[in-house]
Every structure is written in C-alpha cells, then in structure tokens.
Amino acid sequence: MWGFFLHTTQTKLQRKGRECVIPDVSRSYHFGIIGLNMNGYFHEVYFKKHKFNTVPNVQLKDVEGLKQDAYEVEIHTLLKEAEVLDHSKNPCEDSFVPDSEGKTYIMYIKMDTETDTDTWTELSKQDAYEVEIHTLLKEAEVLDHSKNPCEDSFVPDSEGKTYIMYIKMDTETDTDTWTELSKCLHVWDLDVRGNHRGLWRLFRKRNHVLVVAFPVSPYSVKKPASVTPIHLEPPPKEEAAPVEQM
C-alpha cells in the first residue's frame, strides 16, 4: 500500500490532502534485492540496515487519534508543550537531544518549498557508521599531546583501547601536519585521503587511534579546552646548489 501511494500519488491534486500513516519502526522487512526499482547495491547500503519490529501480536493504540481532525488537535497540543532544542548544536550528534525521559522537544529545519528537501535528507541520513563514530568519540581516551606523535611511546603499550588525538588543520588545504604525521606513521602521505569528515581511524599496537583535524572536522568539538592540537612543521626545503656559468 505504501509503495502504491508513494509512486502513484505524487501531486497535491492526486493526494487530495491525504497522508500515509507509517509506523516509526517498520513491521516488515524489504527483502527484494533485484527488481525494476531496486538493485543489490542500493538494498545493501539503504534497506539492509533498517530496523524493523520483531515482536509478534503488537497491539495498536489510539488508532482513532490518527484521523485528521483528532490528529491535528494532538499536534497543536504537542507544539504547546514542546521545549525548543539548542539549535546551535549539531542535530546529528547524540547530545543534541538531552538525556531525559518522557519529554517533548521540537526543532526547526529550513525548507523554503516542498521540494527544498536538502536539510531533511541530510538529517535523515545518520546511519550506523555515524553512530559508531560518536560511540568511539565518547569512549576514546585523549593521548598526551605534549609528546611527539611520531615516537613509539606516543601510543601506550595497551591492547584493545580507543585513543584520540587532535591535529592542527585550519582549512581543508592546510595539510602540513597530517602529511608529516602520515610520513612518520608510514601510511599514505602523497595526498590527503582516507578520512571521514576530517577524522582518520588508525590501528597502532592493537589499539584504535582516532585522528581529528582541528578545527575543520565537525568532530573537533569534542576536543577538551586544555588540549592544544598537534602541529608538525614540514622540513625546510634545501636550496639548490648554484649553477656554474660556463
């Protein structure tokens, strides 16, 4: 029914003000990998990770409240009691919604027209990998930034821990520190690659090490105020020997 509604009632004239009611957590799983509107790659990256309800015999509550008039009353009630979230924070971060229970919050996103869907699309994209990154950032132990990151002792002789370091990177083209760091760590150093939004994940001494570019990476907001980002200067260029005149 949802697929029929989505693909055949795209215009206001066809919809006639109607909306399709769907649950927060789907009760069905999309298993069709190959088809007219589907391929294996899209199914793998989009549908495979979607959560769905596995509890049988779910009892739906207050179905009558989903009718248009009753639902509109409920929405206005929620809008009155809702507390506005801190819009200076990143809505994709776990801390955007406070650690509370049973409260109603509200946020506003930019959408100039019904086809201006950029903000909602990006907001809805938070996937398993982004969740994993924020989990790692929470548990990571900050390394001693007074030490030389190129020395073996910079990463402790531990195993299975997560560490984090911050490097200076004022702009996306300010690559000096990363280039020097990658050289001494013997990873790819010919150009900047392998990062996710200014964050690199490395494994040193069987530990997980996060390298965050400050301040260009959105994850750099996690940097403690007492930590100074590491800055490595490239070696001075040797001057070419003067050419003898014949």
Side-chain angles (χ1 to χ4, degrees):
M1 179 62 75
W2 167 246
F4 175 81
F5 181 86
L6 179 66
H7 292 296
T8 62
T9 58
Q10 291 295 318
T11 69
K12 288 183 179 180
L13 181 63
Q14 291 170 315
R15 286 179 178 160
K16 298 179 181 178
R18 296 170 296 180
E19 296 176 354
C20 186
V21 178
I22 58 172
D24 288 341
V25 180
S26 179
R27 289 177 292 157
S28 62
Y29 181 71
H30 188 281
F31 60 85
I33 298 177
I34 302 297
L36 180 62
N37 299 305
M38 182 57 53
N39 58 63
Y41 172 77
F42 190 80
H43 182 274
E44 183 74 19
V45 300
Y46 191 75
F47 285 110
K48 189 175 181 179
K49 297 176 183 177
H50 274 200
K51 294 183 178 181
F52 64 102
N53 177 53
T54 57
V55 179
N57 304 318
V58 173
Q59 296 296 315
L60 300 179
K61 298 179 180 179
D62 194 22
V63 178
E64 290 297 315
L66 296 176
K67 291 183 177 180
Q68 186 173 5
D69 293 340
Y71 189 72
E72 202 65 37
V73 171
E74 182 185 1
I75 291 297
H76 283 285
T77 302
L78 290 172
L79 289 170
K80 281 183 180 179
E81 67 184 41
E83 182 180 330
V84 180
L85 290 166
D86 185 350
H87 284 51
S88 67
K89 292 184 177 180
N90 184 344
C92 292
E93 291 190 0
D94 186 62
S95 60
F96 182 67
V97 177
D99 292 324
S100 58
E101 188 173 330
K103 296 194 70 174
T104 302
Y105 295 103
I106 189 171
M107 64 179 288
Y108 298 92
I109 63 172
K110 180 179 178 294
M111 192 169 177
D112 293 329
T113 65
E114 289 188 0
T115 57
D116 178 18
T117 59
D118 288 349
T119 301
W120 172 251
T121 300
E122 292 306 312
L123 185 64
S124 62
K125 274 183 180 176
Q126 184 179 8
D127 56 13
Y129 187 72
E130 201 66 33
V131 172
E132 180 183 359
I133 291 296
H134 285 285
T135 301
L136 290 172
L137 290 168
K138 279 185 179 179
E139 67 185 37
E141 180 181 330
V142 180
L143 290 166
D144 185 350
H145 283 51
S146 67
K147 292 184 176 180
N148 185 343
C150 292
E151 292 186 0
D152 185 65
S153 60
F154 182 68
V155 176
D157 292 323
S158 57
E159 187 174 331
K161 296 196 68 174
T162 302
Y163 295 104
I164 189 170
M165 63 181 288
Y166 298 89
I167 63 171
K168 179 179 177 291
M169 194 170 179
D170 293 329
T171 65
E172 291 186 359
T173 58
D174 177 19
T175 60
D176 287 349
T177 299
W178 169 252
T179 300
E180 295 307 310
L181 180 64
S182 60
K183 283 179 180 177
C184 69
L185 296 180
H186 304 293
V187 297
W188 182 266
D189 60 20
L190 296 181
D191 54 33
V192 178
R193 63 175 66 180
N195 72 89
H196 168 67
R197 303 176 72 191
L199 179 146
W200 290 265
R201 297 172 66 178
L202 308 173
F203 290 88
R204 315 294 294 179
K205 298 180 178 179
R206 298 186 178 182
N207 295 295
H208 206 156
V209 178
L210 308 178
V211 182
V212 179
F214 181 89
V216 297
S217 172
Y219 306 120
S220 62
V221 296
K222 302 289 186 180
K223 183 187 77 66
S226 58
V227 172
T228 301
I230 292 171
H231 177 53
L232 300 176
E233 290 281 357
K237 294 181 180 180
E238 296 182 1
E239 292 185 6
V243 179
E244 294 184 5
Q245 300 292 329
M246 300 295 294

